Amino acid sequence: MRIRTTAAVTAACGAAALTLVAVPAATATAADAPASVRPWQLTGTSAGGTGGRTAFTATTATTATAKQPYALAVNFSKVKVAGGKTTVSVGMDAIVHVSYSFNLTATNVDVSAPDFYVGLDLYRGSASKPTSDLYGDQAATCDVTSSESSYEKVVTGMSCKGKVDIYPRSDLRNADAGAKWHAVAWAVAYNGQKPQNPADVSKIGTAELAGQTSPTVRRLSRLTVNAAPEPVRKGKTLTVTGALTRANWETHKYAGYTGQKVKLQFRKKGTSTYKTLKTITTDSHGNLRTTCKATTDGYWRYSFAGTATTPAVSATGDYVDVK
């Protein structure tokens, strides 16, 4: 996992008196948030949900344990991850950027402050003690959609979007594939406190909405095919080989996916549809091998339907000329 520098905070968030703030500018952004600005878990309740998360990373725990952040008056709604997709496939090296969006309503919070940040994490387990956590390199960017003010309060509505950046070599383990994930939207107001070492933690406000719908993460699959000999005499035996592999996030290699049902399919030259001829099972190394009679020119391929941990994949058709 990517390492975060954090300090333990165990006190519950408490209520705080909020002062009026100026009407925010048309656009607020947190794209320049320091890399250390990440939410982590508190054993309490914040304004946005349970198990409030804050984002400061104190280098010593003395101040952090003596005081606690207050519950920021921020509420979240319409949380959507990956455009509503149910799965995200991750390979071995490419960074995968998972988009997200949500709305928030802030009451008496200076959302235009340079040290007000919002974002979203994906997590397994509980929000307070996740077994795995995926997050973005930058906080979300928000547009102000409404602002209402009165003598008692200023209420600001915002539409926010951002990306969770998944680094497969450092962020994922094989056990993460196909497991249940959740999303948590969060907000933190530092109010002039230093993120790395706040002088007064009680001046920092935090809010969250945990337990939101998230796509599952799956190990990207690959499937190859080779039909031989090429060309082949009509009526002769054609041997079709291939291999089904998938990303192994712990060895950082693609490894054979064993014991999986894979369809052998054929598409006649001049047509657009593949037809399944038989189903075979990958061996202990993920390899495939079978034979067929060559009857006409066309394309041969293997096709895998996918599992809870591994997405479906079809090999690129291998054309064979039948003489």
Side-chain angles (χ1 to χ4, degrees):
M1 307 295 288
R2 280 179 284 169
I3 297 174
R4 301 177 183 175
T5 305
T6 61
V9 179
T10 58
C13 290
L18 297 171
T19 58
L20 291 178
V21 296
V23 175
T27 301
T29 177
D32 297 323
S36 62
V37 175
R38 302 301 315 149
W40 83 80
Q41 297 66 42
L42 299 173
T43 58
T45 301
S46 62
T50 58
R53 299 154 74 89
T54 186
F56 68 88
T57 55
T59 55
T60 61
T62 303
T63 302
T65 56
K67 296 181 180 180
Q68 62 190 35
Y70 67 87
L72 195 64
V74 171
N75 292 301
F76 304 91
S77 63
K78 296 184 179 180
V79 178
K80 181 177 288 187
V81 182
K85 294 180 180 179
T86 57
T87 63
V88 172
S89 298
V90 182
M92 193 59 60
D93 296 302
I95 302 170
V96 176
H97 305 285
V98 181
S99 64
Y100 64 79
S101 62
F102 56 82
N103 293 341
L104 68 80
T105 302
T107 302
N108 291 344
V109 176
D110 186 0
V111 298
S112 65
D115 56 358
F116 173 74
Y117 304 111
V118 298
L120 180 141
D121 282 13
L122 305 181
Y123 66 93
R124 284 182 57 209
S126 67
S128 58
K129 294 182 179 180
T131 56
S132 296
D133 189 13
L134 301 173
Y135 52 97
D137 292 331
Q138 295 181 324
T141 299
C142 299
D143 292 327
V144 174
T145 57
S146 65
S147 183
E148 299 178 7
S149 61
S150 65
Y151 180 77
E152 294 85 6
K153 61 185 178 180
V154 174
V155 180
T156 306
M158 306 183 78
S159 174
C160 303
K161 61 182 179 180
K163 293 180 179 180
V164 172
D165 305 299
I166 304 177
Y167 293 72
R169 286 183 173 266
S170 59
D171 288 355
L172 295 171
R173 297 165 294 177
N174 292 338
D176 293 325
K180 183 67 174 178
W181 287 82
H182 298 283
V184 53
W186 54 266
V188 56
Y190 283 101
N191 298 312
Q193 296 299 303
K194 295 180 179 180
Q196 293 290 343
N197 191 15
D200 188 349
V201 175
S202 66
K203 293 182 179 179
I204 298 174
T206 66
E208 71 158 27
L209 178 63
Q212 300 302 291
T213 300
S214 168
T216 58
V217 182
R218 298 198 289 184
R219 297 163 63 178
L220 189 65
S221 53
R222 293 176 173 176
L223 187 54
T224 61
V225 66
N226 182 58
E230 303 176 54
V232 64
R233 293 278 183 183
K234 185 174 182 179
K236 294 296 184 180
T237 298
L238 194 66
T239 301
V240 186
T241 58
L244 175 63
T245 59
R246 61 176 178 166
N248 186 315
W249 296 325
E250 295 169 6
T251 64
H252 309 308
K253 297 179 181 179
Y254 277 86
Y257 198 7
T258 66
Q260 299 303 307
K261 301 293 185 182
V262 179
K263 295 177 180 179
L264 174 66
Q265 298 180 328
F266 178 74
R267 176 169 66 87
K268 186 178 179 180
K269 180 182 178 180
T271 66
S272 59
T273 303
Y274 277 94
K275 294 183 178 180
T276 299
L277 303 181
K278 63 173 74 173
T279 300
I280 62 175
T281 303
T282 58
D283 66 13
S284 58
H285 299 285
N287 294 322
L288 295 157
R289 184 183 180 90
T290 190
T291 59
C292 286
K293 293 294 182 180
T295 59
T296 186
D297 297 350
Y299 299 85
W300 297 83
R301 76 175 187 182
Y302 283 116
S303 183
F304 173 60
T307 63
T309 62
T310 310
V313 62
S314 294
T316 300
D318 185 20
Y319 180 76
V320 176
D321 182 20
V322 177
K323 299 294 187 180

